[in-house]
Structures are given as C-alpha cells and as structure tokens.
Amino acid sequence: MAEDAHADLPTLDQVLTRKTLPPVCLYNFYIVMRDRLKMEEVLDFYLDLQHHDLLWRKYVKAMHRTGHLSETDMSEGFQSPRLLSRLSYQPTDEKVPSRKDLTVSSQRLLSRYLVPSATKEVTQLPIELRKLLCEELEKAEARDDPLLFAEAKNYVLEYMQRFAYPKFLRLKVWGNVTLYQQIIRLVVGIVGLFGALTSSLCLILLGYPQWGVRFWVYIITLLDWDL
C-alpha cells in the first residue's frame, strides 16, 4: 500500500521541469528548501545548470542552421565529442545565444556557486569536484559546454532526491499544517495548558469537589494537550 501511495506522487524530475501543480510544485519546493531545509543554493545551482544547458542547445541549433554544423555532427547528440570539436567562437545571430553568452553563464556559475566563500557556495558538492570545476573554469580558454558540469548536476540531483525531496513530500503531502499554523497552535496550547493547570490548582486549594467545576477544567487540560 505504501509503495502504491508513493507511485501516485509526482517525481522530483517532474517538479523540477514544472510539470506538476500545487502543493507539489517547484515554487513550494523552493520555499521548503529555503525556509525549512536551508539549502536553497542546491536548487538554485541545479536550475542555473538547466538554464546553461538550454543556452547550449539553442546555440548548437543556431550553429546548425547557419551551416557550421552538419547533420553528422548533430547525430551523436548535443554534447558529443565530435560536436564539441567542431564548434568554434564564430558569431551567431543576435536573436540567439552566442558563445560569449555561454562563457558569461559558465563564469557566473563559477563565481556564484563554486569558488570558496561564493554568495551561494554549494558546500554539498565534494571538495574535489568543486576544485576540478574551478580549475577548468579559471583557465585562459575555459570550457563552457554543459558536459563539464554533468557530474555536478547529477550529484546535486541525487542529493535533492535523497535528502530534500522526501522531506518536502512529508511537509506538503502528508503534513496538514504549515509552519505558521504549527507556531500558532503551539502558543495557544501552551497558554491554554498553563491557564488550565493554574485553574486546577486554585480549585483544589479552594476545596472545590472533584466532579464539579474541576471536572470541566480537566477536560480543557486534555484539549490543550491535543493542540
């Protein structure tokens, strides 16, 4: 039964590609990553990698349309060694991404997520992998193809799949209250419990019988525990 319940839920890939609806959607996933799990940099990094990959695909298609790439070059995929060897820094139409745009995008990934003390440093990535990416991106003729980031992209996707997405599902699918509702219920419960216990003690000291007014105070105390 548990497996059937999980099978009906959207996958992480569907959420990341915006193929789902609230409450299990990319917006809510980001809110949980930011406010509850404190690791929004992982999701930001993954989404920026997706954007970089999209730029690359548009660039390759533009190179194909202008005749710089043949059908044979394209046949092995957007990140094949053959295709990479054929690409150059030739200018393209202003309406499509240029190689300069790809360079800017890759350097943004470096400065924002990979270098030490970056604004959104992805510390979840293995140190060796981050060091390798930094070395490649800091070269005079740095690479900017998505294949360079493939291992990092797969790593953060697996990381979110294991450590973030299950918690997100518990909060949004099986959880029945939000964080603020939990806080309100906690405050109301504590205040009510304190009042009920104080009233019970006062009634005992004043000599009220157990099955009179004190009985209703016990009921209120039990309700406060439920909160």
Side-chain angles (χ1 to χ4, degrees):
M1 293 293 291
E3 292 182 359
D4 293 339
H6 282 277
D8 293 335
L9 295 174
T11 63
L12 176 59
D13 183 66
Q14 290 174 323
V15 172
L16 294 174
T17 52
R18 297 176 173 86
K19 296 179 180 178
T20 59
L21 297 173
V24 185
C25 61
L26 181 59
Y27 174 78
N28 284 334
F29 186 47
Y30 183 84
I31 296 300
V32 170
M33 291 284 283
R34 184 190 66 188
D35 297 341
R36 302 298 295 271
L37 305 181
K38 308 300 181 183
M39 59 172 72
E40 75 273 12
E41 68 278 359
V42 177
L43 180 56
D44 283 334
F45 181 53
Y46 183 84
L47 294 177
D48 279 350
L49 286 175
Q50 280 190 320
H51 176 69
H52 186 74
D53 186 64
L54 180 62
L55 284 178
W56 176 264
R57 288 175 177 272
K58 289 182 178 180
Y59 170 72
V60 170
K61 289 179 179 179
M63 295 291 284
H64 179 236
R65 285 197 304 269
T66 56
H68 293 103
L69 293 174
S70 66
E71 290 294 338
T72 305
D73 297 327
M74 298 286 291
S75 63
E76 298 179 9
F78 282 91
Q79 299 179 29
S80 66
R82 177 187 177 89
L83 186 144
L84 293 176
S85 67
R86 295 280 293 165
L87 288 173
S88 65
Y89 287 84
Q90 295 162 338
T92 60
D93 193 319
E94 293 182 358
K95 296 181 181 179
V96 298
S98 65
R99 200 62 188 257
K100 182 179 179 181
D101 294 326
L102 287 164
T103 301
V104 171
S105 177
S106 62
Q107 291 301 311
R108 179 176 177 272
L109 290 168
L110 170 67
S111 61
R112 191 178 188 190
Y113 300 106
L114 299 174
V115 296
S117 302
T119 54
K120 289 195 172 184
E121 183 181 0
V122 185
T123 56
Q124 293 82 359
L125 282 176
I127 296 177
E128 291 302 319
L129 179 55
R130 276 188 285 155
K131 186 182 297 184
L132 176 63
L133 289 172
C134 288
E135 290 175 355
E136 288 291 336
L137 292 168
E138 289 172 349
K139 290 180 179 179
E141 295 185 2
R143 290 174 57 186
D144 54 17
D145 57 280
L147 193 59
L148 174 65
F149 302 101
E151 185 178 353
K153 186 177 181 181
N154 291 334
Y155 186 93
V156 293
L157 179 62
E158 179 65 22
Y159 186 91
M160 289 189 291
Q161 183 69 59
R162 293 180 58 190
F163 299 108
Y165 195 60
K167 296 177 182 178
F168 167 68
L169 290 178
R170 283 198 295 271
L171 289 169
K172 291 300 179 181
V173 177
W174 296 293
N176 62 348
V177 291
T178 65
L179 176 62
Y180 298 108
Q181 290 173 334
Q182 291 176 9
I183 294 174
I184 291 173
R185 292 180 66 172
L186 177 63
V187 172
V188 171
I190 291 175
V191 172
L193 182 61
F194 178 78
L197 292 176
T198 303
S199 300
S200 297
L201 181 60
C202 291
L203 293 175
I204 291 172
L205 295 176
L206 292 174
Y208 279 81
Q210 181 177 359
W211 297 107
V213 178
R214 286 171 57 189
F215 173 77
W216 295 107
V217 175
Y218 294 148
I219 298 298
I220 295 174
T221 304
L222 292 175
L223 292 175
D224 287 326
W225 276 114
D226 289 337
L227 287 174

